[in-house]
Every structure is written in C-alpha cells, then in structure tokens.
Amino acid sequence: MEKLPKIALPAIFIGVVVLIIVFKSTVTIGSGEAGVLYKTFGGGVVTDEPPMGEGFHFVAPWNDVFIYEVRQQEVFEKMKVLSSNGLEIKIDASAWFQPIYGKLGKLHQEKGEDYTQRVLLPAIRSAARSVVGRYTPEQLYASKRDAIQEEIYTETENIVDDQYIQLNEILVRDVTLPPSIKDAIERKLKQEQESLEYEFRLTKATKEAERQKIEAEGKARANRILSESLTDKVLQEKGIQATLELARSNNSKTVIIGGGETGMPIILNDK
C-alpha cells in the first residue's frame, strides 16, 4: 500500500501528458470550413496540398491548423466618394465572396486570416471611387445605380482576381446625395415632368384641331358634291318616289297631284 502512491503519481502524470498530446493532436473542422496546416518543422504553411476538409483530423502536436470559412460570406462597407463634378456621394454597398478553396494555403500565407480587411474592402473602395467619379449626381440619382453596381463589381473582380478570393456579387444598397443637390435634382425632374405633360396636352389639342378641320372639310366637300348632283329632274324623281310610298301607306291622307310651282304632289292631310 505504501508503494501505491509512488506508482500512481507517475501513471497519473503520464496519463495527463498523453491526454494533452491527444488533445493537441486532433482538430475538428466544422461544416462550411476548411483547415490550413502549418508544419512547425516541415516548411511552414502547406500550399502544395488541398486544405483539410470537414470532420475530425489527427495532426502532430507541434503543428497548427488555421480554420477558414469557405462558404459564401457577406461584408458591408459605407463609403464617401466624389462624383465627376467633385460632389461628395455616400454609398452603402456589400459584397458576396468566398476564399478560393484550392488556394486557401496561399491565401493564409500571403494575406492572412484578416484578408477581407487587407484585400477585399480596399479593392471595393478603390473600384467605387473610380466608377462613381465617371458620373454626375443627376445620373447616379436617376438611372445609373444598376450600371455603377455592375461596374464596381467588374473593377473589384479585376483587382482581387489574383488574390485567391472569389467575388460573387457587389450590391449597391443606397446612394445618398447631399440634401441641397437632391432637392435641386427633384425640382428639375418635376419641372421636366410638367414640361412633358404640357407638351403632351398641346400635341393632343393640336391633333384634335386637325381632326375637326379634316372632318369639317370632308363634310363641306360632301355637301358640295351632293348640291351639284341635285338637279330639278332628280328632285322631281325623288318626290314621285316619296308620293308612291305615301300612297301605299295604310295611314289616311289626302294627296293632290300636280300642285306647287314644280308640279310636285301637295299633301293636304296626313292624318
């Protein structure tokens, strides 16, 4: 019994050391993550092999594993940039991105774990300044938001193309102009809208006047043709036809033939 403590203490010590080694020799990589292996005695960051995938891994206790999220991520940025005429524009944008899986070792070795602050956000700011500087506040306010969003994406993608980052999308969420400029643009747009509305009413009135003129000219031409075609003989023939139709009618009437200056029938009683 006296020897038991002497045996137990080394065993406990060895057990603790083993547990520490086992603990240091294992790593669990979660869903949507990947690990970059750093070999302390083997050349540092492993860049010529794929990163460690999801799950449980054994590693030498003197090595380290740096875990990165490889799913699509989003980063937000609020910027102040200048328009083509030097006015300050505020842009609220975000980027969808993810590290390139096969280049994760290179990303860790050259850019580090805070690569979004070192690479991605500076690239977005640079692209935004370049793109917005091509447009006036009026263009940005009215119709160019989609255009600048696409151009910022293209320029940012060109910058990060060789930085081991996959850029999926740039979203321009808001473009804020100085209040005085925004008010001036809104007044101008309102005046333009009123001018277009006035031109529309004027054009409509002009077309209506032209229509009435054409209609009147058509009626006058028809009356003139009708007047020229109505000779005495034609009128007499029409009168005879009307008389025959009255004669065939069942209504009581008195018809005197040959009355009037033109010899047309005179109807004395039509009841």
Side-chain angles (χ1 to χ4, degrees), residues 160-178:
V160 303
D161 182 55
D162 58 351
Q163 303 297 313
Y164 320 116
I165 300 172
Q166 176 182 312
L167 183 65
N168 298 332
E169 190 64 84
I170 292 288
L171 303 175
V172 176
R173 300 179 179 277
D174 188 35
V175 177
T176 305
L177 307 179

Side-chain angles (χ1 to χ4, degrees), residues 184-246:
I185 293 173
E186 290 178 346
R187 286 196 300 271
K188 180 180 178 182
L189 292 175
K190 183 178 180 180
Q191 291 172 355
E192 290 177 352
Q193 183 64 33
E194 290 175 349
S195 177
L196 290 173
E197 185 178 352
Y198 174 76
E199 290 179 4
F200 172 77
R201 292 200 301 267
L202 184 62
T203 302
K204 184 178 179 181
T206 302
K207 290 182 178 180
E208 177 63 18
E210 291 177 355
R211 186 193 67 79
Q212 292 178 358
K213 178 182 178 183
I214 293 171
E215 184 178 353
E217 290 176 349
K219 289 181 178 180
R221 189 179 301 110
N223 290 335
R224 185 169 60 253
I225 294 172
L226 179 62
S227 177
E228 292 174 353
S229 64
L230 291 177
T231 62
D232 293 340
K233 291 184 177 181
V234 171
L235 290 174
Q236 288 179 358
E237 182 181 356
K238 294 292 184 180
I240 293 171
Q241 290 177 354
T243 302
L244 292 174
E245 290 177 2
L246 287 172

Side-chain angles (χ1 to χ4, degrees), residues 16 61 64 92 102 116 147 153 195 206 254:
V16 170
D64 291 316
D92 184 1
T116 56
Y153 168 78
S195 177
T206 302
T254 301

Side-chain angles (χ1 to χ4, degrees), residues 77-113:
E77 182 67 0
K78 293 185 177 182
M79 301 164 281
K80 293 181 180 180
V81 294
L82 299 180
S83 64
S84 61
N85 54 1
L87 292 175
E88 185 177 82
I89 310 296
K90 295 179 181 179
I91 293 183
D92 184 1
S94 65
W96 293 348
F97 72 98
Q98 59 197 97
I100 298 176
Y101 187 86
K103 300 292 185 180
L104 202 57
K106 283 286 188 181
L107 177 67
H108 178 74
Q109 185 180 57
E110 297 182 16
K111 312 303 175 185
E113 294 176 279

Side-chain angles (χ1 to χ4, degrees), residues 44-86:
V45 178
V46 177
T47 59
D48 56 352
E49 296 178 8
M52 300 170 65
E54 301 172 1
F56 186 80
H57 300 269
F58 284 99
V59 296
W62 50 83
N63 293 335
D64 291 316
V65 176
F66 297 89
I67 298 177
Y68 283 79
E69 185 174 1
V70 293
R71 289 176 292 203
Q72 178 173 279
Q73 304 163 62
E74 186 174 23
V75 64
F76 297 89
E77 182 67 0
K78 293 185 177 182
M79 301 164 281
K80 293 181 180 180
V81 294
L82 299 180
S83 64
S84 61
N85 54 1

